[in-house]
Amino acid sequence: MLPRCAISVCHVFVLVLCLSSAEDFDWTKNDHGSFYYGTFPAGFSWGAGSSAYQTEGAWDTDGKGLSIWDVFSHKKGKIQQNDTGDSSCEGYHKIKDDVGLMKELKLNHYRFSISWPRLIPTGIKSDHINEKGIQYYNDLIDHLLESKITPIVTLYHWDLPQFLQERYGGWQNISMVNHFNEFANLCFERFGNRIKYWVTFNNPWSVAVEGYETGEHAPGLRLRGTGAYKAAHHIIKAHAKVWHTYDTQWRAKQKGLVGISLSGDWGEPVDITNQKDIEAAERYVQFYLGWFATPIFHGDYPQVMKDFIGRKSVQQGLGTSRLPSFSPQEKSYIKGTCDFLGVGHFTTRYITQKNNPSGRSSSSYFTDRDLAELVDPRWPDPGSEWLYAVPWGFRRLLNFVKSQYGNPMIYVTENGVSEKMLCTELCDDWRIQYFKDYTNEMLKAIKDGVNVKGYTAWSLLDKFEWDEGYSERFGLYYVDFRNKNKPRYPKASVQFYKRIISSNGFPNQREVENWRRKAVETCSSSNQLLAAEEQRSTAANILRLIHDPLTSHMEMVTEIVVPTVCTLSILLSAVFLMFLLRRRN
Ligand code: NOJ
């Protein structure tokens, strides 16, 4: 037996180890630095991404079941312009074309997600497996591999089978853990011989907060102060279960890796000399990425979440915390269930301390954090309202991950910027700037010692942007959604990203400037091509309408043909009248 003093020395040692892993990060040192010319480590993987509901379309084709997003987007008033993902980019029918685009970019990997209800229409494996859905993903995977592009597969990018939502309440219910595990197991069984990178969940923060707290996303529930925490709790358990399933049943044979993709905005203290601001910024990050990463790497929720939500719950007269807790067995089962960490990152906020009232009626995930978010008006914000380009925040976040979670292997699973353009624009200079600066900050983070192995530009194509519909375009390739065939056109950023990939970084200033100049030059010809194509398809539509008696076209007939014919008749009558008048004179 160890003597008591040795035990307490051990305790102190363990305590110091635990504390130091969370204290490494230096909040007071934000070195923006200048642009860094250099290359990424050999073998660094460059990719682009997409997700099933956002790009596949074919919402009811070949036996696919309904997802919560099919149902949500069909409800009026939920999505900008009442857009839906019904046909989206028609990715389901365009495997060859899209893999062609990836080859053109010389991508090393492509990240896509599998639609659960396309494989299992009700979500319950014993009900029915849809072989046509399996076939679609087999084709996609085989095409990628033939083109030497590594598939990175996400199992859950938000499209829960609607049946599971209706029957059990979706992620509010613990039974999702088993159903999801069965679905994942099916994927390992059918695709695992060719897939080496699995992502269990994409951005569970959004699923929990926007799906079950604010209701902006499917399933649209507003269970403030509890819904998000409960959903997240079940998602973390489901992730762990799937990791164990792979670990015990498939890893030895398939030799793949299983991770999770967590999304995290960076939070920078407004005043880095003010301890309260530093604590508030840390809370912001812990309530975001830390909410999921801390249980997965350390076995339990961040202490600060337990403290804040617990204290507020008591003040609200509740017997237990609104944040659920894990049993000791669950903690050890969850801890360490991550072979690599997927990081999705887009933007940054300045954070300052702000006390929120703790009354029960005002309880929510947002008020639990006691902070205020600010932005610098000088930060560029070309597209989505929430997306400010702050490249240095990316390096800060990556270093935070390194210091908090023992320098895990990281794949950047999402990073990119949107544009809000009413007219067609392929010369996306601001996206070139965004990719250039963000990937450069990632390179600096690698020099800092962060273990980043790959980068995924978000996204390959313009696509359905959730509650924003098609109004926000994240793609490297422009998709003409008004054309039934959904043709794709390269934006200037395609040329630029291609150069980063082929040089594996940034050789020198002259060359990088040259890439940019050339990229912007080529896009003006693509712009003309697209404009000409649009004119051609409008003309073709009119001609088709004139010859096509189908009533389904009546609406367009009244919109385009009738006014045109009326205008022509008025013009002709005027000319005829003038002719008559002149003759009488
Ligand atoms: C993260 C989501 O995972 C992705 O689907 C979405 O397109 C981007 N955020 C941009 O909003």
Side-chain angles (χ1 to χ4, degrees), residues 2-141:
L2 280 173
R4 272 191 73 173
C5 68
I7 293 177
S8 51
V9 168
C10 280
H11 272 144
V12 172
F13 184 62
V14 169
L15 195 68
V16 168
L17 269 185
C18 293
L19 287 177
S20 65
S21 74
E23 275 185 1
D24 264 336
F25 187 76
D26 188 352
W27 286 91
T28 62
K29 206 177 105 207
N30 189 355
D31 164 24
H32 292 194
S34 50
F35 196 85
Y36 180 87
Y37 290 93
T39 48
F40 285 81
F44 189 82
S45 189
W46 295 98
S50 73
S51 83
Y53 187 73
Q54 291 181 282
T55 49
E56 282 177 6
W59 71 291
D60 61 351
T61 304
D62 288 345
K64 174 181 165 294
L66 286 179
S67 83
I68 54 174
W69 272 96
D70 291 315
V71 173
F72 188 71
S73 68
H74 286 165
K75 288 187 187 147
K76 294 275 167 275
K78 299 289 181 194
I79 314 289
Q80 282 273 340
Q81 312 281 343
N82 290 320
D83 286 339
T84 72
D86 290 3
S87 60
S88 190
C89 309
E90 294 285 13
Y92 187 74
H93 302 291
K94 285 180 176 283
I95 292 181
K96 261 203 185 141
D97 304 58
D98 289 342
V99 175
L101 303 180
M102 297 173 214
K103 275 164 61 181
E104 159 74 17
L105 272 163
K106 298 223 165 42
L107 295 187
N108 305 116
H109 70 258
Y110 177 57
R111 176 179 177 229
F112 65 92
S113 79
I114 294 183
S115 157
W116 183 352
R118 196 179 289 291
L119 253 50
I120 306 177
T122 61
I124 298 175
K125 191 176 159 196
S126 56
D127 283 353
H128 173 60
I129 295 172
N130 179 28
E131 291 299 332
K132 286 198 171 154
I134 303 257
Q135 190 52 44
Y136 163 68
Y137 293 109
N138 271 334
D139 287 351
L140 175 57
I141 293 167

Side-chain angles (χ1 to χ4, degrees), residues 54 157-158 202-203 346 386 414 458 463 465-466 474:
Q54 291 181 282
H157 203 126
W158 308 358
N202 175 73
N203 190 353
F346 292 88
W386 52 272
E414 284 185 16
W458 193 261
K463 59 194 171 349
E465 188 48 40
W466 309 114
F474 274 84

Side-chain angles (χ1 to χ4, degrees), residues 246-303:
Y246 191 81
D247 200 47
T248 53
Q249 297 179 37
W250 303 100
R251 191 190 295 282
K253 199 154 122 222
Q254 299 183 347
K255 303 198 167 43
L257 300 174
V258 178
I260 186 166
S261 172
L262 301 180
S263 172
D265 292 355
W266 178 244
E268 183 72 5
V270 167
D271 175 0
I272 49 170
T273 63
N274 178 338
Q275 189 55 28
K276 288 254 173 270
D277 279 1
I278 292 181
E279 283 166 18
E282 171 150 21
R283 268 201 311 283
Y284 178 80
V285 179
Q286 295 292 8
F287 267 74
Y288 215 131
L289 184 120
W291 183 5
F292 300 90
T294 318
I296 289 168
F297 286 99
H298 299 307
D300 201 0
Y301 290 117
Q303 191 60 42

